[in-house]
Amino acid sequence: MYETLLRNLKDHGQEHLIKYWSVLSEEQRKQLSDEILKLDLTEVHATFSRAIESTKKILEKLDDDLKPIPDSHYESVPNLTPDKIEGYENIGFKEICNGKVGVLLLAGGQATRLGFGHPKGMYDVGLPSRKTLFQIQAERILRVQQMAAEKYGNEGKITWYIMTSEHTKAPTANYFKSHSYFGLNENDVVFFEQGTLPCFDFEGKIFLDEKYHLSAAPDGNGGLYRALKTQGILDDISVRGIQHLHAHSVDNILIKVADPVFIGYCKSKNADCAAKVVQKSSPSEPVGVVCRVNGHYKVVEYSELTDEASERRNPDGRLTFSAGNICNHYFSADFLRKISNFETKLKLHIAKKKIPYIDENGVRQKPNEPNGIKMEKFIFDVFEFAENFICLEVARDTEFSALKNADTAKKDCPSTAREDLLQLHKKYIRQAGGEVADDADIEISPLLSYGGENLDSIVNGKVFTAGPFHLKSPQELSSNGVNGNH
């Protein structure tokens, strides 16, 4: 085995990976050889070269190359008439009823920045119900299925594809199993694992994390496309007859999962790829914007926009480049199949990192300065391959609140996520004829209401003060208590 590995590694300048072979146990040798044999070293070498090459091409974004999304490819939910919204929604409900809708959840992240040693979807931001992100999203799927069935009479089902990382797959699957899939059919919840890419030093040598273990990191949310193919998910999508996939990250507490309005909008426009966006709050908000560069749709990072482009405004005063990207996308199943054939053309983004490694003397070092690179792909880098790309602008206060940081950051943290959800629920109650004190904490179960519907008979004419309150669905009430204070 040693000789075979050595020959193969030598051809690609990676023979250092078996430098400590003689001191490894049989078990350790097996682990190391398995990891090396899993690598296509020719492809790994090409990947490294491509990543280095793409970073050398520092694209000067001339303002002339940058164009906002044309009006013909852009609609804004806050500006649509109720009839138009209902029209899109009904198309979406019909697709759900016919079993043609799936959800791709990007749930690979560990909640390390939150000081939480579990998958981020298991995080509880402190709502009155103590529901986690996973539970909230599962219950939104149940409710939207129910709404579709009420509209068209037949029980539709949504398949939920959950992409984890190598480290989060088992705990995520166990969490769902121990909670009976939150009422969803177990067969309609499918877990799959994103890939990893080796970590390199600046010369292209793969690091050893241990003498018997290669250093590797998840390949980014753009690893979705390869994982869909290698993990058999594209085949599953075909077998189930799914035509529309709503993809989003797990950490948006306001996400409208399998949003029928978004699905209906995309189907009615015959889109193969789409993005939900929110209006940038200010020219300097550090968020990527969806726009056109040299005729192709792309997300241009905040740091890549010139000050002039960031601050440019239309005659109506609105920012010209205002379509803030929120990792909330639509893909047709056909588009995902097409992408799988040229996934290797996707850009590779390099991050210089402090990567622990085994040094010349066999000692594991933890560097204080960046000593190597991790590579990742971004989910939005497929936009440029779309034949019919469109955008749907949504209101930030109803659809976007990210959970990225610990509370000390005071932004995109558990406190802001909780507050944003509770504020939205107060708004729903007021719209349905209820009165809510400003300081009252009131949460509406996703099983009761997906987006403010179904509340009139419960809250109209009622006054909510103090709290906290958790308004539950009939099925929750029958199984565990009454609406009111907790």
Side-chain angles (χ1 to χ4, degrees):
M1 174 56 82
Y2 176 81
E3 293 302 326
T4 309
L5 286 174
L6 182 61
R7 269 197 310 275
N8 194 14
L9 290 168
K10 230 173 185 170
D11 289 344
H12 298 90
Q14 303 288 353
E15 62 269 26
H16 63 286
L17 294 176
I18 52 172
K19 177 178 178 179
Y20 303 104
W21 188 265
S22 61
V23 300
L24 301 182
S25 67
E26 279 306 311
E27 196 178 325
Q28 289 171 335
R29 287 177 180 180
K30 182 174 185 332
Q31 179 178 334
L32 182 59
S33 60
D34 284 352
E35 288 182 13
I36 292 169
L37 292 169
K38 263 189 203 166
L39 293 177
D40 178 335
L41 287 168
T42 305
E43 186 187 0
V44 164
H45 179 72
T47 299
F48 178 80
S49 303
R50 189 158 58 93
I52 296 299
E53 213 40 51
S54 65
T55 55
K56 282 181 186 165
K57 294 177 193 164
I58 298 167
L59 297 172
E60 283 186 26
K61 292 258 188 291
L62 299 173
D63 287 358
D64 292 347
D65 294 337
L66 273 179
K67 299 275 190 297
I69 300 150
D71 289 346
S72 57
H73 290 243
Y74 194 96
E75 287 190 12
S76 167
V77 172
N79 296 336
L80 294 178
T81 64
D83 283 352
K84 190 81 168 167
I85 292 170
E86 188 181 354
Y88 287 149
E89 186 176 63
N90 287 342
I91 295 168
F93 282 148
K94 193 85 173 164
E95 295 303 289
I96 289 167
C97 279
N98 292 332
K100 292 181 179 175
V101 174
V103 172
L104 291 169
L105 178 63
L106 311 175
Q110 294 270 31
T112 41
R113 274 196 268 175
L114 297 166
F116 179 70
H118 305 283
K120 197 186 271 188
M122 290 165 60
Y123 196 82
D124 157 20
V125 301
L127 293 168
S129 68
R130 310 304 300 196
K131 288 176 181 176
T132 62
L133 294 171
F134 278 144
Q135 182 170 358
I136 291 166
Q137 290 167 32
E139 291 181 352
R140 285 188 186 139
I141 290 174
L142 283 164
R143 174 65 189 149
V144 84
Q145 287 178 161
Q146 182 187 5
M147 290 164 74
E150 286 167 0
K151 185 80 190 175
Y152 289 107
N154 58 311
E155 189 66 49
K157 68 171 184 183
I158 292 163
T159 306
W160 200 11
Y161 297 102
I162 299 176
M163 185 172 81
T164 68
S165 69
E166 176 189 2
H167 301 295
T168 60
K169 187 173 182 184
T172 300
N174 292 338
Y175 179 72
F176 272 80
K177 191 172 182 181
S178 67
H179 289 83
S180 305
Y181 298 87
F182 301 105
L184 291 163
N185 185 325
E186 179 182 346
N187 296 328
D188 298 330
V189 182
V190 180
F191 302 100
F192 68 108
E193 197 179 304
Q194 77 183 103
T196 58
L197 287 168
C199 300
F200 296 89
D201 70 12
F202 296 126
E203 275 68 57
K205 304 278 189 198
I206 297 170
F207 280 120
L208 280 172
D209 186 52
E210 301 286 355
K211 292 176 186 175
Y212 53 88
H213 175 48
L214 308 185
S215 180
D219 56 4
N221 57 22
L224 168 72
Y225 307 108
R226 169 168 284 207
L228 288 173
K229 187 174 186 177
T230 60
Q231 303 271 308
I233 302 302
L234 287 179
D235 294 336
D236 191 79
I237 286 168
S238 294
V239 168
R240 292 176 190 253
I242 292 168
Q243 294 180 4
H244 315 281
L245 285 302
H246 183 193
H248 64 87
S249 54
V250 75
D251 58 11
N252 176 7
I253 199 167
L254 300 185
I255 186 75
K256 285 190 166 178
V257 190
D259 178 14
V261 174
F262 192 32
I263 302 291
Y265 168 62
C266 292
K267 180 175 169 61
S268 72
K269 304 293 183 190
N270 202 26
D272 54 358
C273 179
K276 271 194 186 186
V277 295
V278 296
Q279 241 187 91
K280 277 184 72 171
S281 58
S282 70
S284 60
E285 184 184 7
V287 61
V289 292
V290 184
C291 53
R292 283 188 302 160
V293 182
N294 298 324
H296 294 289
Y297 290 96
K298 296 195 174 175
V299 173
V300 175
E301 293 299 334
Y302 165 70
S303 56
E304 296 175 312
L305 279 179
T306 63
D307 288 347
E308 191 282 322
S310 294
E311 290 165 17
R312 196 184 309 168
R313 291 185 184 272
N314 300 339
D316 63 2
R318 179 186 168 114
L319 289 171
T320 301
F321 297 103
S322 65
N325 179 51
I326 55 172
C327 194
N328 191 330
H329 309 306
Y330 166 90
F331 304 109
S332 72
D334 287 344
F335 179 71
L336 289 176
R337 281 188 281 273
K338 183 179 91 170
I339 285 299
S340 73
N341 294 326
F342 50 91
E343 184 269 339
T344 52
K345 293 185 181 148
L346 283 189
K347 273 198 214 99
L348 284 159
H349 301 264
I350 278 184
K352 293 182 178 179
K353 297 281 189 180
K354 294 179 275 194
I355 303 167
Y357 67 101
I358 301 296
D359 70 10
E360 285 298 302
N361 304 311
V363 178
R364 193 169 191 270
Q365 301 289 349
K366 284 192 168 182
N368 297 317
E369 299 293 325
N371 63 320
I373 63 168
K374 291 182 178 181
M375 296 182 291
E376 60 179 355
K377 302 165 193 171
F378 294 159
I379 191 168
F380 52 69
D381 283 331
V382 298
F383 290 179
E384 63 181 289
F385 301 115
E387 287 172 28
N388 187 17
F389 177 86
I390 59 176
C391 262
L392 186 66
E393 182 190 304
V394 296
R396 189 184 292 242
D397 68 338
T398 60
E399 296 207 33
F400 183 60
S401 178
L403 179 61
K404 305 277 186 198
N405 310 310
D407 269 340
T408 48
K410 296 185 166 45
K411 184 179 185 299
D412 296 340
C413 61
S415 293
T416 55
R418 179 177 63 248
E419 186 58 25
D420 289 343
L421 185 71
L422 295 175
Q423 284 297 337
L424 177 61
H425 288 184
K426 281 184 211 175
K427 180 173 156 184
Y428 286 159
I429 286 163
R430 286 169 181 147
Q431 286 171 346
E435 286 184 46
V436 192
D438 286 340
D439 61 351
D441 281 351
I442 184 156
E443 177 189 358
I444 303 164
S445 168
L447 294 170
L448 175 63
S449 183
Y450 178 85
E453 81 296 334
N454 203 32
L455 296 173
D456 295 31
S457 61
I458 298 167
V459 305
N460 192 11
K462 295 240 173 70
V463 179
F464 297 90
T465 56
F469 296 93
H470 177 209
L471 298 188
K472 298 176 182 176
S473 66
Q475 60 264 47
E476 286 172 294
L477 286 171
S478 61
S479 63
N480 62 5
V482 296
N483 280 325
N485 289 326
H486 276 306

